[in-house]
Amino acid sequence: MTNYKINEFFETIQGEGQYTGTASIFIRLQGCPVGCSWCDTKHTWEVENDLQIPIQQVFAKTVETPQWASLSANEIVEHIKLQGYRSKHVVITGGEPAMYNLIEMCDALHAHGFSTQIETSGTFEIKVPAKTWVTVSPKINMAGGYKVLASSMARANEIKHPIARQSHVEELEELLNTAPVSEGTLIYLQPISQKIPATKLAIETCMEKNWRLSIQVHKYIGIA
């Protein structure tokens, strides 16, 4: 039985990619060695054993902390029921969720009528069932020194790449040449921090390449 280290567990609207606008349950896992300088969840990077807390305290969090709780796949399903969540889509994020074997968790969720999605950097082997939607946001040349895996790119249902300048577009193009995606994989550009120049560049590039725009709807409307 696999136990998963959970930093956050909440219900909201998915604001990015193909599932934008979908009512979703987010499960944020603890642990990530990738080292993105602009990461907005750095509190999930380290796993400190003395910061383990009961799951009830995770649900009660009002600020971001590196504290985490340990749950099995069946316990995750049970706590979704206990919280009274109504969403039927579960987004597994991090941290870096692909550090974990997620098959057991996703299978348990599928058995209870949920759809599943993971959001990963693509730097770890992706272990999920075939029906899980895989979002790869490829983290290229980050401080941790991890390489984006060709197998992760090939497994992706969508690529979601944050950009601020032309060099970010070029690095994605280079990656797609060396680690191609499967036929039908959606490619999204996501302007970093909703800046006007980044948004303009993303729109122009999507028009040119027939890619898609992901605009982080949750940030525009001011929700988690």
Side-chain angles (χ1 to χ4, degrees), residues 10-39:
F10 59 95
E11 188 176 40
T12 187
I13 296 294
Q14 170 63 288
E16 302 177 358
Q18 170 72 1
Y19 279 93
T20 293
T22 302
S24 303
I25 298 161
F26 278 75
I27 299 174
R28 187 179 303 284
L29 300 180
Q30 189 75 16
C32 181
V34 179
C36 305
S37 60
W38 38 262
C39 176

Side-chain angles (χ1 to χ4, degrees), residues 37-75:
S37 60
W38 38 262
C39 176
D40 59 2
T41 57
K42 290 183 179 180
H43 60 286
T44 66
W45 285 10
E46 303 297 332
V47 177
E48 301 289 348
N49 289 335
D50 60 349
L51 293 180
Q52 183 175 355
I53 58 176
I55 187 61
Q56 291 79 8
Q57 292 183 28
V58 169
F59 285 115
K61 282 187 181 184
T62 58
V63 296
E64 295 176 344
T65 79
Q67 296 169 308
W68 54 273
S70 179
L71 291 183
S72 68
N74 288 335
E75 288 171 335

Side-chain angles (χ1 to χ4, degrees), residues 1 4 12 39-40 44 67 79 89 97 119-120 124 127 134 174 180-181 188 190 199 203 210-212:
M1 180 186 298
Y4 301 94
T12 187
C39 176
D40 59 2
T44 66
Q67 296 169 308
H79 279 285
H89 183 65
E119 298 180 339
T120 173
F124 285 81
K127 299 175 183 178
V134 174
E174 182 178 351
V181 296
Y188 286 88
Q190 188 163 282
T199 301
I203 291 171
N210 200 28
W211 291 350
R212 298 189 179 196

